[in-house]
Amino acid sequence: MNFNELMKNEFILLDGATGTMLQKSGLKLGEIPETLNITRPETVMNIHRQYIESGTQILTTNTFGANSYKMKNSGYTVQQLIGAAVKNARSAAGDKALVALEIGPIGQLLEPAGSLSFDEAYEYFKEEILAGEDTDIIFFETFTDLLELKAGVLAAKENSDKPVVASMTFEKNGRTFAGVSVASAAITLEGLGVSALGVNCSLGPDELAPIVKEFTEWTSLPIFVKPNAGLPDPNSNTYNVTAEDFAESMDKITDYGTVKLVGGCCGTTPDYIKALKKVIDNKTYKKADVKKDTAVCSATTAVEINQPRIIGERINPTGKKLFKEALINNDIDYILSQAISQVKAGADILDVNVGLPEIDEKDMMVRVIKALQSVVDVPLQIDSTKPDVLEAALRVYNGKPIINSVNGEEKSLTNVLPLVKKYGASVIGLTLDEDGIPKTAEGRFNIAKRIVERANALGIPSKDVYIDCLTLTVSAEQSACKETLKALHRVKTELGCKTCLGVSNISFGLPNRELINHIFLTMALEEGLDLPIINPNDELMTGAVRAYKVLADIDKNSKEFIESYNEVKTEKPKIVSSHISLTDAIINGLKSEAASLTEKALENKDAMEIVNSELIPALDKVGVDFESNKIFLPQLIQSANVAQACFEVIKKHLSKNNNTPVSKGKIILATVKGDIHDIGKNIVKVLLDNYGYTVVDLGRDVAPEIIIKTAIDQNIKLIGLSALMTTTLKSMEDTITLARKTPELINSDGSSKVIFFVGGAVLTEDYAKKIGADYYCKDAKESVDTAKLVFSSQ
């Protein structure tokens, strides 16, 4: 039996936790689970057999962390570890179950939040996939970064013919640790062609239920659900949801429809899978109706094209002297400022065109896409006539973009549409071909129909083709306006496609262009225009779209309109980089601009005045926005990195003037003994660095003795400890206990000289108190708040 045949069943029963079972089987502190495939294969096979006996139909290999980054100190190669894991799983499964190659996150943050490039991530995953070629399916599980998961899916698609199942892990706020929304995950993964998608880990079944429900609204693909057994109890190394309660909750989740692959994650055992089998054996699978219209997305924001949406046109060098100069001078901050101003003015999507003969368009497009996605969260429209530029941008784009564009020429259809299909994008279809732009609506409609038919033949749905019937200037062809509107109406009503227009072309060569543009826009909206490409900083144009939504009964109770005009605006919302403050530059993620403004400020301000009145308040504002879900991890880290650039300018200035570099205090950070997970700790380091603290990062798997020795030798009073695994929480307790017993770290009155703050996914505030920690920090921002509190009292 293969995966496609298995999927004909009502439900597919997956296995439960591997790590939990390995711990029950004697996994030692610091022992790498994946190495047991070689050192203790019978232990691994015994766990697999227990799941098979419980009814598991797809067995996952013990390879969650088997990438060359995490395994570099394991003593084994990826090929050895995965080869042994597949052999163990095959031996246990026999002909009773399929075997899935389990792949987890690499363990590093991707650019721009971290240092790992997309191509490097791709190569890590490719190595795993090739090593696991003797499996039936490829399972990606427990991802928080959508771009990292995209790298994995592409590696699988390009190096294997196996079905791919992809899963992310969400928090109670409905987002992943990196801020990825359910909608963005569903839209992007379906577009990339996975066979099933869904959610695992982090939460118990009841907490995951609303997240699963949201998945059913965005995708028609089979949904994969593997919750934890509730929350861990660090004291007993158990979880708080029983097998029976777990199965009962999963029974309700499967009623949502579209949920087809079910199993368990952390804390679940064969008993949980047995209980789950009893539930699904008596149920019939049903598909839920997808409620959402076609959409595009960034990693954090999905834009449903169910009403007119504004595409901002300003990131384009055509007719823009300053923009051309910015491209030639590699002034990325100028381009970012154009993006920020358009989003503030009301753009829902941004067109991105960097085509200029004087530059390397492909290199610049990739750089700009990465930079834009670190400062704005709206989806992007990749605008180029060159297929190689389009593909380079599509690979690194985080989410589902629009491609601008394909047309009716055979060369364009052949070169562009396969890229749309491969990368799961939407595409603008221009109604022109080898003979140019037809003068009549009939001619343009026929080209539109041909584009849609060719797209459909490749498996691209009509809903993802947005037809541009092309706006011609009325000063040259006055009758062309009516033909454009006729063609637009026919495309919308007869082909059922979304429509797009570059509106301002209509008025070229005429006086009072704004008036012509405004009236034409309202006419086009009435005929069914979905995506006007305009300058959103033109209040008359943006206002026309907002007013239309009110009058067309789209903006219910005029809510968006009122919110947009609830204050009198004396000027257009515009960010011009040469006129913004240092604080705004940090908040908006403009690195070069912020560094330049810091240098200028140092000409007449004291360094500490700049730190305390500009840098720290800006970071505080970013932190508040992060905590209230107004921005997400990429934007938080981008602003932190901008602040770091400012601190470097200040340090250089102080050093040149023989002054002591600024430091707000010294802090030790470490992931405790036995734990090799350090992404959370690394993010805390980035923030503390950029708030002006000196961080001594001891890395991961750090013994208590090393932490204590460092504190004594360097006279450090504040120590941050991180742990992701329940089994390593004991190491956290041991470190704190050792500090409290070390004479050099005890005051004469018996109090401790050092203060501990602790964090990690498995940690709770109650447990932190129990082991003697002074502060529990649920995220990086709280770690900064703790540092402020500690050092302000000294």
Side-chain angles (χ1 to χ4, degrees), residues 39 55 60 68 91 100 147 162 168 189 218 280 310 363 371 405 429 451 466 553 575 618 623 652 669 705 746 782:
T39 61
T60 52
S68 56
S91 176
L147 187 61
K162 306 288 192 300
M168 303 197 79
L189 294 172
W218 285 101
I280 63 173
I310 294 172
D363 176 71
S405 56
I451 292 171
Y466 309 153
D553 196 27
I575 290 184
K652 185 177 178 181
L669 288 182
E705 293 78 12
I746 300 174
E782 285 199 0

Side-chain angles (χ1 to χ4, degrees), residues 219-296:
T219 183
S220 59
L221 289 180
I223 293 174
F224 166 105
V225 183
K226 288 181 68 175
N228 286 350
L231 297 172
D233 179 357
N235 297 314
S236 61
N237 199 24
T238 60
Y239 286 71
N240 67 353
V241 175
T242 66
E244 291 71 24
D245 290 342
F246 181 89
E248 183 179 340
S249 296
M250 289 294 285
D251 185 17
K252 297 173 185 175
I253 286 176
T254 54
D255 285 338
Y256 293 154
T258 314
V259 175
K260 193 172 187 72
L261 299 93
V262 292
C265 204
C266 300
T268 61
T269 67
D271 288 339
Y272 286 75
I273 303 306
K274 285 179 185 176
L276 185 53
K277 185 177 188 301
K278 290 179 182 177
V279 167
I280 63 173
D281 277 350
N282 300 315
K283 299 196 72 163
T284 301
Y285 171 77
K286 63 179 181 180
K287 254 189 146 178
D289 294 329
V290 177
K291 297 180 180 179
K292 303 296 184 179
D293 207 332
T294 182
V296 291

